[in-house]
Amino acid sequence: EEMRLARNEIFARHGRQFSDEDLAAYFEGKSWYTGSVDPEIFDQGQESLLNEYEKANVALILEMEEE
């Protein structure tokens, strides 16, 4: 669960909104979070929104989640 939150925090910091109720509630409880980007739009443009370090971190976290 911690890995899932860490991965989605990267997206949340770019304003991604969440359809999943648990993720939405978690991030809406954070003072820094402003969900302003529709999930579908974010997912389509994710490659251009994230920098190289964020992309690498997302990939690493996904790898760790799958273990």
Side-chain angles (χ1 to χ4, degrees), residues 18-41:
F18 296 94
S19 303
D20 180 279
E21 291 180 19
D22 292 337
L23 287 174
Y26 178 80
F27 289 113
E28 286 170 9
K30 304 298 179 193
S31 61
W32 51 264
Y33 177 69
T34 53
S36 57
V37 183
D38 182 86
E40 288 182 25
I41 293 171

